[in-house]
Amino acid sequence: MLTAAAVLVSPAAAAETLTLTGVMTGADHQTYREVPFRVPAGTSAITVEFAHTGKDQKSVIDLGIRDPARFRGWSGGNKSTFTLAEAWATPSYLPGPLPAGEWKLILGVPNLRQDARAEYTAKITLSDTAAFHGFAEAPLKAGPAWYRGDLHLHTQHSDGGCPSRTGKRIPCPAFKTLEAAAGRGLDFVAVTDHNTSSHFQDLAELSAYYDDQLVIPGREVTTFHGHANVFGMTAPLDFQLGSARAPDLGRILAQVEAAGGLISLNHPGQPSGEACMGCGWTAKTDFARIPAIEAINGVNATGPLSGIPFWEKRLNDGHRITAVGGSDNHDASLTGLRSVGVPTTVVRAENLSQDAILAGIRAGHVFVDTQGTRDRLLEVTAQAAGAKAEMGDVLPTPKDALVRLHIRVKGAAGGKVVLRSDEPKFVPPNPISVEGDDATVDVAFGVDGKRHWVRVDVTGPDGALWLLGNPVYLRKP
């Protein structure tokens, strides 16, 4: 049997596990048995793990399921594990509401010898939490590393389009986006269609094939007062900001937080009007609840449409918010600066899994490669008074302490290291040249013991932004 993706697993305290057991004999050959079990109200996911004995005697027990009102799927003998949820289900099964009441596991017996005996066990996990931990059962790559991805992508499930095989303009299927990302060597992608979850089923099916690329479910919450990407959750989410469903942003944030998702404000530097209603960010916002901002959207790394000034204003206000980037690609066939993966968000994570990537973003262990290269690297380590920090971390800095920054830059020979800070005294008067393909730069400055932030960018010889770094936050101990 194949093992299907089924990792919509909640903490043990938020899940109930049922174990169904039974015996099939020769009398059950080519018959069906329906085994009932009860699903309580509020269940958000059902995962079934099935096993049986007698395989050495060619015994076969096939598998399917019904809810109280309808048939929900049949995988026969090709899967030993499957999950059903409202927005997605393991292939062979139908997503949708999980009604309370009597469900039935369908067992079919295509072969059982007259004198054979097969014992079966069905472990059924009923989750009542909206938390979702990914389509993959285990990390796709082990160990800490810098993982490269695109956090803003659109497909046929919203307004993504591309040429068909005969050149017609069509709504672009999701596999084209994943194929383009694979071609660029990306480690992860977040598909973020507007205000819908219909693409989650496609992603559940495709993730098994793209098993060297982490597929993260996302949504672009598109409102009249701003757009925001939400990553890593499949639970229902309101988007009608200003309506009874979501009278304020706090209602949406509460849903995201309850489901363990991560929200990032999109392209906040863009204007909002008839050309793109709600593209700029105008919603009343508690920025203490915002973990990330899309500082770079597509080619808008600098200039009037850049989100960097909006983000840095929040840093100046004392918030710790991670800058990310996303291509906002709407046509997976595009190449060059409009392609999938430009820019690339590069995340330092403990492994290549949904939980680890989102944790790395929350921690600010991120830089943005504006040109979407495969190998540029920016590492920043800060030390002061015996403490050490990296991008996204807080560094305790007593008054008159000396902060030492150790900066490593790869793949950017001929570029310039540029320090940014809310305190001009921390910034060297001139950019520092990057000498060689793997260069290090050391900078030191004294501090006043007050709250500050300092970060590192890398620019090209013409001043174009190549790498955008996240801050180290300086705080009084």
Side-chain angles (χ1 to χ4, degrees), residues 142-153:
W146 288 103
Y147 295 105
R148 311 179 79 87
D150 193 335
L151 291 172
H152 195 159
L153 297 162

Side-chain angles (χ1 to χ4, degrees), residues 333-350:
S333 70
L334 294 177
T335 59
L337 294 179
R338 298 284 182 178
S339 67
V340 170
V342 182
T344 296
T345 297
V346 190
V347 182
R348 177 74 173 175
E350 290 304 307

Side-chain angles (χ1 to χ4, degrees), residues 278-304:
C279 279
W281 189 261
T282 60
K284 185 178 179 181
T285 307
D286 177 1
F287 284 95
R289 299 174 70 181
I290 303 299
I293 290 174
E294 187 185 67
I296 301 177
N297 174 272
V299 298
N300 297 315
T302 55

